Amino acid sequence: MQTLYRQLLKLMPRLGVQVTDLGPGTAVVSRRGRRLRIPLGTDADLLARDNARYSVADAGQDTWLVLRDKARASTTAAPEWTGVPLGDTGARLLLDRRAGTDERTFQLAAAEYLCHQHVAAMLDFYGVNCVFDVGANTGQYAKRLRRLGYSGRIVSFEPTGETFARLEKAAEQDPDWWVYRLGLGSEDTTGSIHVGWKTMNSLLPPSAYGRDRYQRFATTRTEEIRIRRLDGLLEEALDGIADPRPFLKMDTQGYDLEVFAGTGKRIGDFVGMQSEVAVLRLYEGSPAMSEAIAAYEQSGFEITGMYPVTREAATGRVVEFDCVLMRAEAAPGRG
């Protein structure tokens, strides 16, 4: 025998009121359109108008991500989100199984994210208060550090005119972000840098492998630039910092080891560094990865992270890694 409650629920649609029965003792009534019940999990439901499109992903610990699909045409399927736990961290990675992202693209994007997070964590853990950003381009690295919470001094170096103008513009509202129109190397001199290669401008010519990989290397023009040793700039760059704990980031398209050599004995002042090291060399005269890492380790740095930057689509081989190294003796509680 039906209860009075159930009898009333059946009568309501005749009065122009829509009813969504959620179970014993619970119902939703509405004057405008039928509601769709989407189960989220144990004792949890999503109520939506039946003409809307939603996708739901389990985000762990009785938490769900609910997204509305902007393309609500009946012929368009909603994203199929799935939550993947990241070990025992409590974090979950949300993936759309319909996106069709290839493994290489996904892995490189993940590596880039993890590298940025790792660098930010190392800067904080080691108490870094000055980052030397060598090969700054238009300031992408510095802006990322700021977004990740680093508030210390940044000293950026970019030698080419057009790119430096954009770097200078990016830094103009940040008083502790200093910029220099200079290239860095193993001696104070001038040189010709190849430009027009987007973010890959280099003091070195492309290798045969590089020309085969990148069409942008087929044409080039050069620009005369000033080159300085970093050890001759440290006093000015660190001025006003009572207890300097600098970090050296290099991304100079095959020239990192020359920049490193230009630190001289002052390399001992640095608590950490980051360098782009090449497995497959894009530039003539650039060092092999083993040569570069050996030089860094000989100066007291030890690897804390290796992240692929580019990979060959045809073979899966890594072309370059971002290598993060810290001076263990400079860690808190040591030294």
Side-chain angles (χ1 to χ4, degrees):
M1 178 176 166
Q2 288 187 332
T3 64
L4 178 61
Y5 167 77
R6 292 289 170 190
Q7 293 174 3
L8 288 173
L9 289 184
K10 285 189 173 182
L11 287 174
M12 285 185 176
R14 299 180 184 179
L15 303 176
V17 177
Q18 301 297 322
V19 177
T20 303
D21 190 354
L22 299 182
T26 308
V28 172
V29 296
S30 172
R31 288 185 178 276
R32 300 180 62 186
R34 191 171 66 86
R35 294 300 187 265
L36 180 67
R37 176 186 178 188
I38 304 173
L40 298 185
T42 305
D43 298 327
D45 298 288
L46 170 68
L47 288 179
R49 291 183 183 175
D50 62 358
N51 62 345
R53 297 178 60 81
Y54 291 87
S55 63
V56 179
D58 181 4
Q61 297 183 338
D62 296 326
T63 304
W64 292 267
L65 175 69
V66 180
L67 295 175
R68 183 169 179 172
D69 188 2
K70 293 181 180 179
R72 289 185 289 165
S74 59
T75 57
T76 304
E80 297 179 7
W81 294 100
T82 181
V84 180
L86 297 180
D88 58 0
T89 65
R92 296 177 77 89
L93 178 66
L94 294 175
L95 300 172
D96 179 4
R97 288 176 290 192
R98 298 182 65 251
T101 303
D102 68 273
E103 183 271 345
R104 184 177 71 97
T105 301
F106 178 81
Q107 291 286 343
L108 292 179
E112 181 181 28
Y113 171 80
L114 292 173
C115 181
H116 300 161
Q117 295 293 318
H118 175 64
V119 169
M122 290 296 97
L123 298 185
D124 180 61
F125 182 69
Y126 279 80
V128 170
N129 50 23
C130 185
V131 173
F132 287 84
D133 174 21
V134 184
N137 198 254
T138 59
Q140 301 96 315
Y141 188 86
K143 287 186 284 188
R144 188 179 301 122
L145 289 184
R146 290 295 192 232
R147 289 196 299 270
L148 291 171
Y150 174 73
S151 59
R153 182 172 299 171
I154 301 173
V155 184
S156 293
F157 298 89
E158 172 55 44
T160 63
E162 182 178 341
T163 305
F164 178 79
R166 295 175 62 189
L167 171 66
E168 191 173 38
K169 180 71 175 177
E172 65 181 0
Q173 300 299 319
D174 188 335
D176 218 12
W177 180 4
W178 300 5
V179 297
Y180 290 83
R181 185 179 172 183
L182 287 172
L184 297 186
S186 59
E187 58 182 333
D188 294 339
T189 185
T190 59
S192 295
I193 190 170
H194 298 272
V195 295
W197 294 345
K198 299 180 181 179
T199 60
M200 299 177 68
N201 297 338
S202 178
L203 281 156
L204 302 174
S207 65
Y209 172 77
R211 288 192 298 271
D212 184 60
R213 179 175 173 82
Y214 290 107
Q215 288 186 343
R216 70 187 70 173
F217 289 157
T219 59
T220 187
R221 57 186 176 85
T222 59
E223 181 177 328
E224 287 295 306
I225 62 169
R226 293 174 59 206
I227 301 173
R228 294 282 305 275
R229 287 177 57 92
L230 183 54
D231 56 6
L233 300 168
L234 285 182
E235 293 303 323
E236 178 182 336
L238 296 172
D239 184 51
I241 300 177
D243 180 21
R245 294 180 65 81
F247 179 91
L248 174 62
K249 167 264 178 181
M250 299 177 291
D251 183 3
T252 60
Q253 305 305 313
Y255 214 66
D256 285 12
L257 207 52
E258 291 293 308
V259 175
F260 185 79
T263 61
K265 294 181 179 180
R266 297 297 301 270
I267 194 59
D269 297 352
F270 288 82
V271 300
M273 58 172 292
Q274 178 179 345
S275 175
E276 193 171 78
V277 294
V279 182
L280 303 171
R281 286 178 278 188
L282 298 171
Y283 306 95
E284 287 289 348
S286 62
M289 181 175 74
S290 57
E291 179 185 350
I293 291 178
Y296 303 149
E297 290 181 333
Q298 190 173 9
S299 294
F301 297 98
E302 296 175 84
I303 297 173
T304 61
M306 291 281 285
Y307 305 91
V309 177
T310 50
R311 277 175 36 193
E312 287 185 331
T315 67
R317 293 188 299 176
V318 174
V319 179
E320 296 166 307
F321 283 98
D322 267 329
C323 181
V324 183
L325 308 97
M326 305 301 296
R327 193 182 297 281
E329 65 186 27
R334 300 185 64 176

